[in-house]
Amino acid sequence: MSLMGKLFGKEQGSASVARDRLMVTLAKERASNAFPYMEEMKRDIIEVIKKYTKVKDVTITTDKNQDIDFIEIDVALGK
Amino acid sequence: MGEIITITSGKGGVGKSTTVANIATAMAQEGKKVIAIDFDIGLRNLDMLLGLENRIVYDVVDVMEGNCNLSQAVINDKNTKGLFFLPASQTKDKNILNVEKIEKLLNELKGIYDYILVDSPAGIESGFEHSVYLADRALVVTTPEVSAVRDADRVIGIIDAKSLKAKNGEEVEKHVIINRLKPELVERGDMLAIDDVLQILSLPLIGVVPDDEKVVSATNRGEPVVLNKESRSGEAYRRIAKRVMGEEVEFMDLNEKKSLGKLLKGLFR
């Protein structure tokens, strides 16, 4: 960006757009990459529950609270 | 014992093989014994960049399958003393490699060479996994573009997951090489700056290679651009090689060619 552009704040280079887009996209992607075993684990959990009762669906959600990662597992039982 | 350095990127076409060819050549010029290995099975390329395509008899898969001895497959570069090359196989199924055979080969090479530079294929499939499995350190090549940086970020996230060193509780040392930077574009605010890329990837920098037409002609001739003492990209690669070898080298001033006229123009644009 030229000095004049900087001074008057009218010139916005495309690099800052690139930076912002990357930051947002990567934040999302990193979150989903943090648990690479998720699909496999979900299959295993379903297998275990099946041994005892009927399972309709298993939903796994992840959350982060400061330094602790959470995995929440919701099991919907079938009739 | 030699050090295994994997050069990877995620995205294709950002200059991985060019980086391998140049760092390997520069290290050899510094008196080290270096071997560059092409792990891009089925899409051999490093041979052309090194100008060694006509000397290939056997390849890396032949060695692993026991069709020949290591010494029969390794090509020594007659122009650069100390530089050796092991080509990828061109025709065979890329799934032919397996971890045990790679381990055996790389451990043998570690006993012979100071540096083993592994040219990883693009992507994050088995070829990539094999190329990082035994890495002591990794150099992640990216260009200052959204797609390259995004893929680099993805690759950085999986290097440790696929590495033996990480499985043993150690970390693979990782550095970023920013390739094909255009200082004028950065100046104008139309290209991601060095700091932008480093901030996004949160890895230390080991070198920036300015965009340089001389790389094109060097590639055409099969003579790595580091052999050209006048080229700026060659100088950048030489400095990277020295840093990889543990020397502290100043970073190049990429704007030094800027004239006063250009400065004034920038002021009033």
Side-chain angles (χ1 to χ4, degrees), chain A residues 1-4 11 13-16 18-19 22-23 25-26 29-30 33, chain B residues 146 149-150 153-154 187-192 196 199-200 266-269:
Chain A
M1 197 184 289
S2 73
L3 184 60
M4 288 300 176
E11 215 178 298
S14 60
S16 58
R19 190 175 48 230
L22 270 170
M23 297 274 209
T25 307
L26 292 182
E29 287 181 354
R30 281 175 190 154
N33 294 341
Chain B
V146 283
V149 174
R150 180 198 208 169
D153 184 80
R154 185 121 168 81
E187 186 75 14
R188 237 194 286 153
D190 276 327
M191 178 174 264
L192 288 168
D196 293 334
Q199 194 196 345
I200 291 166
L267 197 63
F268 293 107
R269 190 171 41 216

Side-chain angles (χ1 to χ4, degrees), chain B residues 85-145:
Chain B
F85 168 59
L86 190 50
S89 79
Q90 189 64 306
T91 50
K92 288 153 191 154
D93 175 15
K94 67 173 178 182
N95 297 317
I96 199 159
L97 296 186
N98 75 50
V99 170
E100 291 78 32
K101 286 176 187 164
I102 291 168
E103 198 162 359
K104 184 171 168 278
L105 171 68
L106 290 181
N107 282 331
E108 192 178 347
L109 295 175
K110 272 178 115 165
I112 306 172
Y113 301 93
D114 298 318
Y115 292 101
I116 298 117
L117 299 190
V118 180
D119 187 8
S120 147
I124 48 173
E125 287 149 24
S126 66
F128 160 78
E129 292 181 12
H130 290 143
S131 69
V132 294
Y133 180 64
L134 286 173
D136 292 306
R137 62 188 294 177
L139 305 178
V140 180
V141 182
T142 186
T143 55
E145 294 154 317

Side-chain angles (χ1 to χ4, degrees), chain B residues 2-266:
Chain B
E3 190 177 16
I4 300 175
I5 304 167
T6 298
I7 289 84
T8 187
S9 68
K11 187 176 177 300
V14 298
K16 263 187 312 294
S17 300
T18 304
T19 302
V20 172
N22 281 291
I23 295 181
T25 306
M27 283 174 152
Q29 284 185 322
E30 292 287 320
K32 300 291 177 192
K33 200 172 175 189
V34 186
I35 187 161
I37 312 177
D38 193 349
F39 257 42
D40 203 347
I41 307 300
L43 293 167
R44 181 192 278 177
N45 262 324
L46 192 51
D47 55 335
M48 295 284 277
L49 299 182
L50 290 167
L52 297 172
E53 69 274 17
N54 292 326
R55 298 195 36 214
I56 298 174
V57 182
Y58 294 107
D59 57 52
V60 67
V61 172
D62 288 322
V63 179
M64 287 193 224
E65 298 290 299
N67 301 334
C68 67
N69 296 326
L70 181 60
S71 59
Q72 288 175 289
V74 171
I75 298 163
N76 75 317
D77 189 324
K78 286 175 183 146
N79 297 317
T80 309
K81 193 175 163 279
L83 177 59
F84 298 83
F85 168 59
L86 190 50
S89 79
Q90 189 64 306
T91 50
K92 288 153 191 154
D93 175 15
K94 67 173 178 182
N95 297 317
I96 199 159
L97 296 186
N98 75 50
V99 170
E100 291 78 32
K101 286 176 187 164
I102 291 168
E103 198 162 359
K104 184 171 168 278
L105 171 68
L106 290 181
N107 282 331
E108 192 178 347
L109 295 175
K110 272 178 115 165
I112 306 172
Y113 301 93
D114 298 318
Y115 292 101
I116 298 117
L117 299 190
V118 180
D119 187 8
S120 147
I124 48 173
E125 287 149 24
S126 66
F128 160 78
E129 292 181 12
H130 290 143
S131 69
V132 294
Y133 180 64
L134 286 173
D136 292 306
R137 62 188 294 177
L139 305 178
V140 180
V141 182
T142 186
T143 55
E145 294 154 317
V146 283
S147 45
V149 174
R150 180 198 208 169
D151 290 359
D153 184 80
R154 185 121 168 81
V155 156
I156 290 163
I158 24 192
I159 287 174
D160 281 325
K162 301 297 175 193
S163 132
L164 182 66
K165 206 173 171 189
K167 272 195 194 100
N168 295 332
E170 291 172 85
E171 204 185 330
V172 180
E173 196 182 348
K174 296 181 276 295
H175 282 97
V176 179
I177 294 176
I178 301 177
N179 196 17
R180 289 196 211 121
L181 188 90
K182 298 184 181 180
E184 331 81 66
L185 273 192
V186 174
E187 186 75 14
R188 237 194 286 153
D190 276 327
M191 178 174 264
L192 288 168
I194 298 168
D195 287 342
D196 293 334
V197 177
L198 297 182
Q199 194 196 345
I200 291 166
L201 297 179
S202 44
L203 276 192
L205 181 71
I206 200 159
V208 179
V209 183
D211 191 50
D212 186 358
E213 289 172 5
K214 294 201 174 75
V215 173
V216 180
S217 46
T219 305
N220 288 341
R221 295 198 178 90
E223 297 164 356
V225 77
V226 280
L227 296 173
N228 179 345
K229 296 284 179 236
E230 261 92 71
S231 79
R232 291 176 51 75
S233 56
E235 175 61 23
Y237 282 123
R238 259 192 301 280
R239 292 188 189 204
I240 294 172
K242 284 184 183 169
R243 289 185 198 113
V244 174
M245 288 157 54
E247 273 181 57
E248 283 211 20
V249 190
E250 223 186 312
F251 280 86
M252 275 165 75
D253 179 6
L254 297 173
N255 291 313
E256 68 191 354
K257 279 203 295 193
K258 218 160 125 180
S259 66
L260 184 66
K262 262 190 185 165
L263 271 172
L264 286 172
K265 229 173 93 192

Side-chain angles (χ1 to χ4, degrees), chain A residues 16-44:
Chain A
S16 58
V17 182
R19 190 175 48 230
D20 294 346
R21 289 176 59 218
L22 270 170
M23 297 274 209
V24 172
T25 307
L26 292 182
K28 275 190 232 156
E29 287 181 354
R30 281 175 190 154
S32 66
N33 294 341
F35 305 94
Y37 48 80
M38 201 54 98
E39 279 309 304
E40 235 171 290
M41 190 175 75
K42 186 172 169 176
R43 266 201 306 274
D44 286 351

